[in-house]
Amino acid sequence: MKPFALPKPPKWLREVGWRTVAGGLLLGGIIHIVATLAVPLAGQGNAFAKLAQALPVNRMVILAPPSPGKEPLPFLTPDALYAICRYDISVDSLQVTAQLAHLGWTLSLHTPQGDNFYVMPAQPARRSDVVLTLIPGGDRVEFAPSQRRIGAPDTNIPSPSTEGLILVRAPLKGLAWRAEAEAILRRASCVPIKR
Amino acid sequence: MSLFSNIFINLAVFAAIALGGGLGSAWYMIEAGSRLSTRSFGPWTTWTAAGRPEADPYTRAHTVRNGLLPLASTLELTYRAKSDSRGGKINSACDYAIVMEGFDSAWWNLAAFDARGRLIHNPADRYAFSSDTVMRESDGRAIISLARDARPGNWLPIGGGSRVTLVLTIQDPALAAAVYDGASPKPLPPIERVACR
């Protein structure tokens, strides 16, 4: 019986030095880190870039309901209406008002990179009127986990970026509720106010 | 082997490891995720820090690259499934059943998309069910049937002959916190394959 022997590697592979492999792994690690960190900065296909061109600045707009071929964003909850405001607070602050009528409704604030730095959900069994002022917020120290807010009562919300998106999501309970949801969303607003 | 060919081989292997390994591993971690950034419960996978400003770089890159606008995972989590509970890819040639139970206090939504996150055209114009729109059994369970052709009850059409991605959104801060902290939350519904054509 022949003893078991590993197949001999091809000759070219035997020419590869360990320094080549180690150097490749080291550079590969650097490329991995740089590529991962660079993707959020590229900004080409992000949600803000997709929506921003079609949206006026500092005005709440109700989007057409998602339908095949007309999805504002991929994987967006389809049976809902959306009011959206592209904000720019480089000059003035912004007063945001919205009513959250039913469970599932949310008001959320996002940076251009998609970070959701504030979210207010509807409360069970009662309507919530939300009024808040979006102000410039300084640097990222604002976003330590202990300082994050879910529906906190303070009305001045510092934004980490001068631009971003305000989104009101209104899930539909059925077609019969659509007119009511649209009427409530039409009352939502984002209005510049002097600082 | 000549010195020239030796240098050429080493350069080629160096570039293959650096570029292929570096970019390939980054792509995998950003698109598919890993235990560093995702948690899986049966066929469902969620990015545990999605939407959070303090999210890890892979989660932030995943959000930006896919054009997503998630709510912070402190409030609600979005789970995606591309496979059924037996591991087979979800596709429109098969019928599936999902039983939602145990989420009575939370708002939830179950939607069907194609693999790229687009809605699947269907004559019923139905793309999702939520805790508000689903019809329930007498015991409170909601049975959702995913099929190409109409079914009685909660029929979610998945026609089109392609791969299907299911998205389950659950707005429950306690559940979201449990998932983020690594605890074992209440089980998510299995995706049962009923029949295939």
Side-chain angles (χ1 to χ4, degrees), chain A residues 76-94:
Chain A
L76 194 67
T77 302
D79 52 349
L81 293 177
Y82 295 90
I84 193 162
C85 171
R86 173 190 169 192
Y87 70 81
D88 183 345
I89 52 171
S90 55
V91 178
D92 294 324
S93 297
L94 199 71

Side-chain angles (χ1 to χ4, degrees), chain B residues 26 28 59 79 89 99 117 137 140 150 158 173:
Chain B
Y28 180 83
T59 301
Y79 303 84
K89 294 286 183 192
V99 179
E137 305 290 306
I158 54 168

Side-chain angles (χ1 to χ4, degrees), chain A:
Chain A
M1 190 174 161
K2 277 187 174 178
F4 176 75
L6 286 171
K8 223 175 177 183
K11 193 178 176 191
W12 69 266
L13 194 57
R14 280 179 274 155
E15 298 291 322
V16 178
W18 68 269
R19 289 182 185 85
T20 300
V21 176
L25 288 172
L26 185 65
L27 183 60
I30 294 169
I31 289 174
H32 175 102
I33 293 169
V34 169
T36 302
L37 296 178
V39 168
L41 304 176
Q44 293 298 311
N46 68 26
F48 183 82
K50 285 180 178 175
L51 293 170
Q53 288 192 342
L55 294 172
V57 178
N58 293 341
R59 189 154 66 84
M60 195 71 81
V61 173
I62 300 177
L63 299 182
S67 60
K70 293 178 182 170
E71 304 89 348
L73 297 172
F75 297 111
L76 194 67
T77 302
D79 52 349
L81 293 177
Y82 295 90
I84 193 162
C85 171
R86 173 190 169 192
Y87 70 81
D88 183 345
I89 52 171
S90 55
V91 178
D92 294 324
S93 297
L94 199 71
Q95 188 172 63
V96 182
T97 59
Q99 188 180 76
L100 305 175
H102 304 286
L103 202 60
W105 287 49
T106 52
L107 167 70
S108 54
L109 311 182
H110 305 261
T111 66
Q113 287 75 37
D115 295 341
N116 175 208
F117 60 93
Y118 178 93
V119 59
M120 170 76 88
Q123 303 302 310
R126 69 181 172 90
R127 292 188 174 189
S128 333
D129 289 303
V130 183
V131 181
L132 56 86
T133 305
L134 199 57
I135 58 174
D139 57 29
R140 296 186 63 81
V141 177
E142 292 280 337
F143 301 100
S146 60
Q147 289 178 293
R148 294 215 58 252
R149 334 179 138 76
I150 289 183
D154 43 349
T155 54
N156 280 346
I157 307 299
S159 169
S161 55
T162 55
E163 285 190 292
L165 295 172
I166 301 164
L167 187 71
V168 183
R169 183 185 69 188
L172 294 174
K173 290 183 168 187
L175 281 177
W177 296 81
R178 184 169 160 173
E180 183 203 349
E182 273 183 352
I184 295 171
L185 287 182
R186 268 197 294 274
R187 291 198 293 273
S189 67
C190 59
V191 181
I193 53 171
K194 292 285 176 200
R195 281 205 275 272

